[in-house]
Amino acid sequence: MFDFKKLAGCLLVLGLVGCAAGPDYQRPELALPEQWPEGVSAAMNDRDEDAVTWWQRYDDPVLNRLVRRAVELNLDVGLAAARVAESRAMLGFRSAERYPTLDADVYAEREDEGAQSASDPTNALEIRGILNYELDLWGRLARETESARASLLASAFTRDAVELAVVTDVVTTYFDYRAARDQIETIEDTIVSREEAVRFQESRQRRGASTELDLRQAEAELETSRAELPGLNAEAARLTRALAILVGDDESVLGGLQNLGGYGLPSWQTVADLPESMPSSLIERRPDIRAAEAILIAANADIGAARANWFPRVNLMAAFGTGAVNPGDLFTGPATLWELVGTATAPILDFGRRSAQVDTAEARREIAELEYRATVRAAFQEVGDAWTLLTTAAERLDAREREVASRLEVVSLAERRYEAGYSSYLELLDARRALFQGQLSQTEAARDRLLAVANLYKALGGGWQSDEEQQALAAD
């Protein structure tokens, strides 16, 4: 009897010993800096924080809830996850092509030759199992599987990059909103104080202690403050809608923003510690760089698959079954059927089709390498820019805090001078107006520092680490 187990084993061995056409992947040599910009290393520590919790260092439960919902419901993240599922299915298809296929073939025929024949109608019955296998002697199927695996990694890292971008957008938009709310609070407090100033000037004018000019100036300052409010309310509404789109859940956004609690961005503790790493590790940390390299690996494997098309394709077909005229004779010794067929197809003339495929694959590989190099270069520039932005934002915030403290003293002195009759009401108004603008600028500076921290984390890859799926694929 024909031994199919031995046949299958021989086929697998022949397929595995085949050589893979095309170049093996080697990471391009890159001119990487040996050290981070001055100050970045000092902000790093030995703790290896989990990648997806970097925003929790802001210690804001509302922000944590919004980020969590965004990761679950954001449409861009969902689309990227769907592409990962598509790439995983394609990898399964390519991997399965390297193994034999086994099909069942059932054939039944009953024939009557008509009046010219005196015999009864005849039957023909066959039941066969058909095994088909392509010997991957030149590694075409192996290279296609390698390309599909790299494409899966690229889609997974792209999903991580999209998720990191969405999380950063949620963080920055949230702080923009809180800054707008803080400025609204400042303006509302200023309106209350200027309404009191108008009533105070009205009382002084009735007593003859001040002129109508002082009253009109107080009223003008009140209306100036009121005019600032509609624009900031509109900005807060716009940021609320932006958060709703990012998070993908209007109810969570509105519910969270209505329970913010107190304001005061300048008093918040900002993130000071960064995950420890060397510049070269940025290639392993940033998901966009890893996605670009995975695309390069896939393009490199496609060259091997294209070159393998120049060599003959060897296919084997084995069939084993039973055939008889009468159903009762099936599965008996004399009814046994078997067949073994080998075919080899070699290219002779294709008018440049295969050559064009190789040229296309090589050009795509060159494009992928250039894009990979550009992504790495842009990443290091982003780190330097983000660090510069953070340090300047911190300096600006310190200066604004000192300015507001000084202007509070100026307002206090101006009030005492006005009450003592040593200065005009206009001097007091100028002092209060400068304090008001300084408080608004201080809020903007505090917001800018918080945003700078978020952008620095994004530039460093968010401390991102591969999940188990990615690590297993990379190891494979």
Side-chain angles (χ1 to χ4, degrees):
M1 181 177 292
F2 193 78
D3 193 339
F4 270 92
K5 292 183 178 180
K6 292 183 179 179
L7 173 62
C10 292
L11 296 181
L12 288 175
V13 170
L14 287 174
L16 292 175
V17 299
C19 58
D24 293 330
Y25 174 76
Q26 291 183 348
R27 177 178 288 175
E29 294 185 3
L30 302 170
L32 302 178
E34 296 181 359
Q35 298 293 333
W36 289 115
E38 184 178 358
V40 176
S41 299
M44 293 181 175
N45 55 37
D46 294 331
R47 293 177 299 173
D48 190 12
E49 298 289 347
D50 186 72
V52 297
T53 59
W54 63 268
W55 59 85
Q56 294 182 359
R57 297 185 180 187
Y58 290 107
D59 195 23
D60 187 326
V62 176
L63 175 61
N64 293 340
R65 185 163 57 252
L66 292 177
V67 169
R68 193 162 53 247
R69 296 295 287 171
V71 172
E72 295 173 356
L73 302 176
N74 182 269
L75 295 179
D76 291 333
V77 175
L79 178 60
R83 286 173 175 158
V84 173
E86 178 189 17
S87 299
R88 183 181 292 110
M90 180 57 67
L91 173 59
F93 173 76
R94 292 299 185 190
S95 299
E97 283 192 318
R98 301 182 64 186
Y99 298 94
T101 62
L102 179 63
D103 300 312
D105 181 25
V106 179
Y107 173 78
E109 180 184 7
R110 181 175 177 82
E111 182 181 11
D112 186 355
E113 297 182 357
Q116 297 179 356
S117 176
S119 62
D120 295 332
T122 58
N123 300 324
L125 302 173
E126 289 186 9
I127 300 176
R128 299 188 305 170
I130 302 176
L131 185 72
N132 286 284
Y133 183 56
E134 178 181 351
L135 297 180
D136 193 22
L137 299 177
W138 323 113
R140 180 181 64 85
L141 299 178
R143 290 300 191 189
E144 289 180 350
T145 303
E146 180 185 352
S147 176
R149 180 177 293 109
S151 297
L152 173 57
L153 282 172
S155 62
F157 290 132
T158 300
R159 174 200 60 195
D160 292 344
V162 170
E163 187 169 319
L164 178 59
V166 168
V167 168
T168 306
D169 287 344
V170 171
V171 171
T172 56
T173 305
Y174 175 75
F175 285 137
D176 282 336
Y177 175 83
R178 294 219 62 164
R181 290 297 309 164
D182 194 46
Q183 290 179 326
I184 289 172
E185 182 79 1
T186 299
I187 292 175
E188 288 175 345
D189 291 343
T190 302
I191 289 174
V192 171
S193 64
R194 289 182 177 178
E195 286 174 343
E196 293 176 354
V198 169
R199 289 192 294 269
F200 177 69
Q201 290 300 326
E202 288 175 344
S203 175
R204 284 175 59 88
Q205 186 186 27
R206 286 193 296 269
R207 298 196 311 270
S210 65
T211 65
E212 184 177 358
L213 176 61
D214 292 340
L215 175 60
R216 299 308 174 208
Q217 287 174 332
E219 291 175 344
E221 290 297 316
L222 172 60
E223 297 306 323
T224 298
S225 298
R226 288 173 174 170
E228 297 277 353
L229 203 54
L232 282 173
N233 283 328
E235 178 67 8
R238 183 192 68 80
L239 292 170
T240 300
R241 291 190 293 270
L243 272 175
I245 292 175
L246 286 170
V247 174
D249 184 1
D250 295 353
E251 184 176 350
S252 294
V253 172
L254 295 177
L257 298 184
Q258 290 173 358
N259 297 281
L260 285 176
Y263 303 101
L265 280 175
S267 63
W268 284 14
Q269 294 296 322
T270 54
V271 183
D273 295 328
L274 299 173
E276 185 178 24
S277 64
M278 295 298 293
S280 58
S281 66
L282 190 67
I283 296 177
E284 306 297 336
R285 297 174 64 88
R286 279 187 56 134
D288 58 338
I289 295 179
R290 303 189 72 178
E293 184 177 16
I295 293 173
L296 175 58
I297 294 173
N300 188 81
D302 289 338
I303 295 177
R307 290 180 180 176
N309 288 328
W310 284 98
F311 302 101
R313 291 192 183 183
V314 179
N315 290 274
L316 299 178
M317 190 275 288
F320 181 80
T322 182
V325 173
N326 298 316
D329 295 332
L330 294 173
F331 303 105
T332 61
T336 300
L337 301 174
W338 67 270
E339 181 182 10
L340 182 62
V341 179
T343 62
T345 304
I348 297 178
L349 181 64
D350 65 357
F351 298 96
R353 289 181 177 86
R354 290 175 175 82
S355 178
Q357 289 177 344
V358 173
D359 292 343
T360 300
E362 290 176 346
R364 288 176 177 171
R365 198 264 181 210
E366 183 177 359
I367 293 172
E369 180 175 346
L370 292 173
E371 290 178 344
Y372 171 69
R373 291 180 180 275
T375 302
V376 173
R377 181 176 299 179
F380 280 98
Q381 180 180 351
E382 288 178 11
V383 172
D385 292 346
W387 178 253
T388 300
L389 182 62
L390 177 60
T391 54
T392 55
E395 294 172 358
R396 178 169 171 251
L397 176 58
D398 292 339
R400 290 299 185 186
E401 289 175 344
R402 293 192 298 270
E403 176 193 2
V404 170
S406 298
R407 294 202 179 279
L408 285 170
E409 294 293 333
V410 171
V411 169
S412 178
L413 291 173
E415 287 175 348
R416 291 198 296 268
R417 284 174 56 82
Y418 175 70
E419 292 171 359
Y422 291 116
S423 63
S424 65
Y425 187 63
L426 181 60
E427 181 180 317
L428 177 58
L429 288 179
D430 288 339
R432 289 175 174 173
R433 187 185 304 114
L435 174 61
F436 170 67
Q437 294 298 330
Q439 289 172 331
L440 295 181
S441 298
Q442 182 185 16
T443 299
E444 292 177 354
R447 176 205 61 193
D448 291 344
R449 192 188 191 289
L450 292 168
L451 301 188
V453 172
N455 287 326
L456 180 57
Y457 265 105
K458 180 183 178 183
L460 290 171
W464 210 276
Q465 295 175 351
S466 301
D467 57 25
E468 294 180 358
E469 171 196 68
Q470 295 167 357
Q471 291 178 359
L473 288 173
D476 190 18

